[in-house]
Each structure stands twice: as structure tokens, then as C-alpha cells.
Amino acid sequence: DVKVTQSSRYLVKRTGEKVFLECVQDMDHENMFWYRQDPGLGLRLIYFSYDVKMKEKGDIPEGYSVSREKKERFSLILESASTNQTSMYLCASSPLGGLDIQYFGAGTRLSVL
Amino acid sequence: SQKIEQNSEALNIQEGKTATLTCNYTNYSPAYLQWYRQDPGRGPVFLLLIRENEKEKRKERLKVTFDTTLKQSLFHITASQPADSATYLCALRPTGTASKLTFGTGTRLQVTL
């Protein structure tokens, strides 16, 4: 079974803090994604990576950055957390050429106070 | 503009009945369309995929139809059970884009006894 593991289920941070969300997948997938999910807005793509050190902006990259130094790990960074970044963050992975079926982690619920 | 629309109102049905969920899209040319299930506080889980040249796909009690003329996919759960209660998301990958999916906002299904 594909496993996508997000490092934290719940996080509480203060405004202005630097926040790291980590995601690890164990199926050697080339593609990895970070989404945020908010009520009424659905899943919105923040960043996408198709290879180590490669990244592509999604629909809402502002206020976020990413890092992919190893194939299995994709990190989302909030440089200076703000209250409007309070959300559910979901990581996903998919194999290259695999009909783009995505495998999701359990999510990190981040609260920025 | 491009849109994927799912009914934002919850669908309440009685156990044993067939649940039908709708996904409509505009200004997309999807290569294929996927359906995912999401339980509260969890990440989405892939259920079914249907290609643009397929009319119908089945898997156990699940059936998906795809009408590219109407720009609509229907997702059916026959003989529904309380365990089917969840939010169901449709996602499409437009033709000519690599790897990225665009998700609908999801429809919550509640199956009661």
C-alpha cells in the first residue's frame, strides 16, 4: 500500500512564526503536491514538484515556499505565518504516467493565532 | 472561466437506496475524471477513474458515468449503507496538462438507517 505520511496532525503556531510541514511518501513517486482545504473552497493547489529540486507554483503559492531535496520528501514552508493561513493542509503523491491518481496523507490542521 | 461544480448541499438518503452525485465542469477538456472519498479529518482516497472516451465504469456498488457533451459526470452508489457517509470529490485532469488535477469542492453524503 502507498503510504503518504505528514509529520503532524495538528499544529498551533503564532503569527509571524516560520512553519515547516513535512511530507514523506514510500512509493518512489515522482510527483508530490501540497494543497490547502477550506470549507466551501475545496482543495486548492499550493505547489507541485515533479522531481527532486523541481517545483511549480500552483493556484495559491503566495506566502508559501517548498523544498524537495530528496525524492520521498516534500516540505511546505510558511515563511511568516499569518492567521489567514489557518487551514487543513494535505500532501499527495502520484507516479509519473500513472493516470495521475493521487495518494493523500491524513492532513495537518494548522491554526495560526 | 474554468469551473468544476458539485452540489454543495449535503445529500441525505435512506439506507438501501441509490445515491447519485453530480459533477459539472465548464471550459475544460478533460483527459479523464476521477472520484475520491474523503472522511472527516482525513485525506481523500481514490475510488474510480473514467476516461474521456468511456461512458461508464463500475466497481462493486459504485458506478461512474461521463458525458462529455453535457460536461457532466454522475457518481452512483447502489444499495447505500451508513458506512458510505462521507464527502465525495470529483477531480479532472485537463488534456494537455501534466499530472495536475483540479478538484471540485465535494458533496457530503449522509446515509441514514
Side-chain angles (χ1 to χ4, degrees):
Chain A
D1 276 356
V2 176
K3 196 160 183 187
V4 178
T5 304
Q6 293 184 232
S7 53
S8 306
R9 290 300 311 277
Y10 301 94
L11 270 181
V12 180
K13 296 292 181 181
R14 298 269 178 212
T15 302
E17 277 192 78
K18 191 168 186 175
V19 181
F20 293 87
L21 302 183
E22 306 285 346
C23 176
V24 177
Q25 51 97 1
D26 67 357
M27 283 301 291
D28 203 37
H29 286 171
E30 288 78 11
N31 301 319
M32 295 189 76
F33 308 83
W34 275 107
Y35 296 90
R36 65 177 281 178
Q37 186 174 34
D38 301 287
L41 296 177
L43 279 166
R44 292 181 292 167
L45 182 65
I46 304 172
Y47 266 98
F48 159 53
S49 170
Y50 49 92
D51 202 351
V52 174
K53 297 191 188 294
M54 305 305 288
K55 62 185 179 186
E56 196 174 298
K57 290 180 181 178
D59 300 317
I60 50 163
E62 297 78 19
Y64 303 94
S65 61
V66 290
S67 172
R68 190 153 179 216
E69 297 296 319
K70 292 186 178 181
K71 190 175 185 180
E72 67 271 18
R73 187 180 296 270
F74 192 33
S75 303
L76 180 69
I77 303 150
L78 286 67
E79 295 289 342
S80 177
S82 62
T83 55
N84 64 11
Q85 292 178 311
T86 291
S87 187
M88 173 72 131
Y89 289 87
L90 288 159
C91 174
S93 71
S94 70
L96 191 64
L99 295 176
D100 303 317
I101 294 169
Q102 294 190 9
Y103 299 86
F104 285 83
T108 296
R109 186 161 293 283
L110 173 67
S111 296
V112 182
L113 306 176
Chain B
S1 62
Q2 294 178 318
K3 277 187 198 176
I4 302 175
E5 292 180 308
Q6 296 183 256
N7 195 339
S8 58
E9 289 181 17
L11 178 64
N12 294 297
I13 65 162
Q14 204 172 16
E15 184 180 21
K17 303 289 186 187
T18 296
T20 299
L21 288 74
T22 305
C23 177
N24 295 301
Y25 60 92
T26 52
N27 294 323
Y28 281 106
S29 295
Y32 39 74
L33 191 143
Q34 302 178 9
W35 284 88
Y36 289 77
R37 170 186 171 137
Q38 186 174 22
D39 291 290
R42 312 298 296 183
V45 175
F46 170 77
L47 295 173
L48 277 172
L49 177 149
I50 187 164
R51 291 180 170 83
E52 61 174 336
N53 59 353
E54 296 176 318
K55 296 291 185 190
E56 183 179 297
K57 213 56 168 307
R58 291 177 185 259
K59 180 182 173 183
E60 297 171 355
R61 294 185 296 112
L62 309 180
K63 184 177 87 172
V64 173
T65 62
F66 196 11
D67 188 327
T68 54
T69 303
L70 290 179
K71 297 188 186 299
Q72 182 181 77
S73 175
L74 299 178
F75 178 79
H76 307 271
I77 306 175
T78 57
S80 57
Q81 304 164 2
D84 295 326
S85 299
T87 296
Y88 292 86
L89 308 171
C90 67
L92 59 81
R93 184 179 80 78
T95 308
T97 66
S99 301
K100 288 188 284 187
L101 299 177
T102 302
F103 285 84
T105 53
T107 298
R108 185 164 168 272
L109 172 67
Q110 185 72 40
V111 182
T112 55
L113 294 170

